[in-house]
Every structure is written in structure tokens, then in C-alpha cells.
Amino acid sequence: MAVIEGIDGASHLSGRVLDTFQERLVDIWARDDFGLADPAGTAGLIRGLLDGPSFAPAAHALVELGIRATWNKVFAERRAQFLAGWLAPHLQGRVLDVLGGDFTVLRALVDTGLAAADVVGCERAAAYTTDWTALPFPAYDLGPGLTLPAGDFDTFLICTVLHHEPETEEFLASVARRGARRWIVVENCLDPANDEDFHFYVDEFFNRCLNTFDVPCVHQHRTAEQWRDLLSRYGTVAHEETRGDVPGMPFPYTLMVLDR
């Protein structure tokens, strides 16, 4: 693995990973209608800026070209609506969104008919700059630990969270102690077309370049089979489905519904 340590703390994988990332940029920007006159040429420009010791030049270009604003809008609206529609049929009773980020998915679920009185969010607030005051549901700061909000919950929503937890198994054990009968887990999984190097690089790009979030980028990605085996320690994976058309994303998402 050829790694270049950046002056801004970023780590960049050269060659193959950047080539793949460039191809995926073209796919995303064309598929999700970013309004770029030349997606391929723009992806080549960004790839060149990423092939260096710092994320800073690429981050600046993404802002100047309007890509950052468009991509974040795709995440906040189209990706959130996509996930809400995908997850909603599997929700049961009162829902806790565990480490829900900026809560765009939970907001989309409420917008599509889930009662705000039946949902609660929680996150490590220091990781994000989101204003929670306008949320239509309560949201709780977990601080540095993982003491989940008090109350009875039927469903835990754990959406693209697990691969960011340095101690994933400890995280799951802590969640399991709260006793919700259903977990809805979404993960971007390793597969032959999306290996660990690529997943880790995309994590760093999204959290250190496109945006700046204080979220760990760690080597905790797994294949769907490995996630299934890990989750099966806590219950039965009753449903599993993979989608490759998630707005804004350069790899598929896998949904697993765990009944306990």
C-alpha cells in the first residue's frame, strides 16, 4: 500500500485507488445530475489535485466549482430520501437513531410519515456542527462515550456507523445491553470491486476533504458475510439486501435487519 502522509494530516493512497476513485466520480456526477458540463474532465482535475501531500487543493477546488454544495445537497436530500424509503418498511415501534450524524435520514423518515413522537436521535455532538434546535424530534449528545438515551426503544437504526467505530465489537455489545428487539444496520461492505484501501480512502475523502467531521476513519470495514457473522452473535439476520444506486455514493450499501 503506497501511502503519502499529508501536511494536513491526510493520508493518500496513490495509483490504483485514485484511478478507481476518478472513475467513480464520473459515475456519481453523471448519474446524480451534478450539472457539470464535463464530468470526466472535472474528475481528472480533482484526481490530479488529490495526488499530492494534502487534501487542501482538492477541497478548495470542490468548493470553488460548486461540487461540495451540490454533493452535500444530494446527501441531505436524495440520499436521505432513498434511505428513508428503503428502511421504513422494516421499522417497528419507537426508533432510536444511534449516532445519526446530522440526522438527515431520521428527518427524511419523519417527512415520509414516521411520527416525530416515535423517534429519537443521538450523536457525539462535537463531531458535527449541525444545529439541532430546529429538529422535529429530540436529539441527545452522547459525549465521548456511548451511553444511549434513556427510554424504551423497539428499533435501533445503525446507519453507516459501525465501520467508523474503532472498537466495533465493544460498540455492538454496548448497544445490545439496551435490549431493542430489532436493529436495522446499513453498511458499505468490502467486495471484489471495493476493497479495504478504497473504502478507507473514501472515508477520508468524505470526512477530511469534501467536509470536515471529527469522525474516526479506521480499518473496520468488513464483507457482508463478515458483518452477518458478527451481527448473528446478537440475534438473527432476518433480511439482507444490497443496493448499488445510493445517491452520491461510490459503492453499494447493504441493509441487514437483525431480530433479537
Side-chain angles (χ1 to χ4, degrees):
M1 181 174 8
V3 178
I4 303 169
E5 294 297 336
I7 58 174
D8 61 352
S11 297
H12 297 261
L13 297 170
S14 62
R16 175 184 57 82
V17 169
L18 284 175
D19 290 343
T20 301
F21 190 55
Q22 179 179 346
E23 295 171 0
R24 303 292 174 85
L25 291 180
V26 178
D27 292 343
I28 292 168
W29 296 345
R31 179 192 70 198
D32 296 325
D33 192 20
F34 273 53
L36 297 172
D38 182 11
T42 306
L45 168 66
I46 298 301
R47 189 246 192 257
L49 295 173
L50 288 169
D51 193 5
S54 170
F55 275 134
H60 178 75
L62 292 166
V63 172
E64 291 299 308
L65 294 170
I67 295 172
R68 179 182 187 270
T70 301
W71 213 331
N72 283 335
K73 185 175 182 180
V74 168
F75 284 155
E77 297 178 3
R78 294 179 59 189
R79 174 185 173 274
Q81 291 162 4
F82 174 96
L83 287 171
W86 195 19
L87 305 177
H90 304 287
L91 298 175
Q92 295 180 346
R94 196 159 182 252
V95 177
L96 175 66
D97 190 357
V98 181
L99 296 178
D102 52 9
F103 302 116
T104 55
V105 174
L106 201 55
R107 280 185 279 196
L109 282 165
V110 171
D111 289 344
T112 56
L114 187 63
D118 291 333
V119 299
V120 174
C122 63
E123 182 52 87
R124 299 180 181 110
Y128 293 85
T129 58
T130 310
D131 178 11
W132 292 0
T133 59
L135 292 173
F137 45 78
Y140 296 90
D141 179 11
L142 296 182
L146 192 68
T147 302
L148 298 181
D152 293 326
F153 298 98
D154 303 290
T155 300
F156 287 156
L157 177 58
I158 309 172
C159 187
T160 63
V161 166
L162 295 178
H163 69 270
H164 281 293
E165 287 298 308
E167 304 296 336
T168 303
E169 295 186 35
E170 290 183 14
F171 174 94
L172 288 172
S174 178
V175 170
R177 286 192 287 271
R178 288 302 308 278
R181 67 175 184 265
R182 170 160 287 191
W183 297 356
I184 297 178
V185 177
V186 178
E187 271 299 325
N188 41 282
C189 300
L190 302 180
D191 60 43
N194 301 280
D195 63 12
E196 172 63 24
D197 287 350
F198 185 69
H199 278 275
F200 183 77
Y201 185 79
V202 173
D203 278 351
E204 286 219 316
F205 173 81
F206 281 150
N207 293 288
R208 312 285 185 254
C209 183
L210 183 67
N211 294 294
T212 304
F213 299 132
D214 188 15
V215 175
C217 294
V218 293
H219 292 282
Q220 285 286 5
H221 302 94
R222 291 168 170 80
T223 65
E225 181 179 6
Q226 289 169 330
W227 282 122
R228 191 184 317 119
D229 289 345
L230 179 55
L231 291 171
S232 294
R233 300 178 190 177
Y234 302 97
T236 300
V237 177
H239 179 80
E240 180 177 333
E241 183 180 358
T242 298
R243 296 285 300 267
D245 55 343
V246 184
M249 298 306 300
F251 37 51
Y253 275 1
T254 297
L255 164 69
M256 295 186 182
V257 178
L258 184 82
D259 286 334
R260 308 184 67 228

